[in-house]
Amino acid sequence: MKNRASNEHQISKVLKDYNSGKSGLELFDKYGVYGATVYELKDKYKDVATDILAILVNLNEENNRLKTMYTELCLQHRNLKELLKENF
């Protein structure tokens, strides 16, 4: 989990290891996760089942993809408007 785009499998493994009693140093060595990140994940997903966690993570990934697509389309639209303004 060295990057922000972690999947539900990694998150559930970290939380299972944390709940089984592994120390923060062991989690850092195994996953590269700092203690604060584990606490954030624990607070964020404390009442979430693994199937719901998978859906939530997939929705977040799709949301990020759609935001990027929207930004690219806005830039293309702006460029086309400027091009039309110059020609007419």
Side-chain angles (χ1 to χ4, degrees):
M1 285 185 43
K2 298 194 188 272
N3 59 5
R4 298 293 281 176
S6 55
N7 61 25
E8 69 276 359
H9 184 66
Q10 290 173 323
I11 292 171
S12 63
K13 284 175 67 175
V14 169
L15 292 176
K16 283 180 186 176
D17 284 350
Y18 175 76
N19 289 334
S20 69
K22 289 195 175 182
S23 69
L25 185 58
E26 291 173 332
L27 292 175
F28 180 76
D29 290 339
K30 188 171 182 180
Y31 301 108
V33 177
Y34 292 104
T37 307
V38 173
Y39 293 121
E40 290 173 8
L41 290 173
K42 184 179 174 192
D43 287 340
K44 189 173 181 179
Y45 301 112
K46 62 183 171 186
D47 295 328
V48 179
T50 56
D51 56 339
I52 296 173
L53 177 63
I55 293 169
L56 180 64
V57 170
N58 289 335
L59 286 174
N60 284 334
E61 290 172 356
E62 183 178 2
N63 189 28
N64 288 334
R65 184 183 56 81
L66 291 173
K67 285 180 182 180
T68 304
M69 186 187 315
Y70 176 75
T71 303
E72 290 172 356
L73 287 174
C74 285
L75 290 173
Q76 289 176 0
H77 183 313
R78 185 186 313 160
N79 291 337
L80 288 173
K81 281 177 70 175
E82 289 176 8
L83 183 65
L84 287 174
K85 191 184 292 184
E86 290 174 3
N87 288 338
F88 294 106

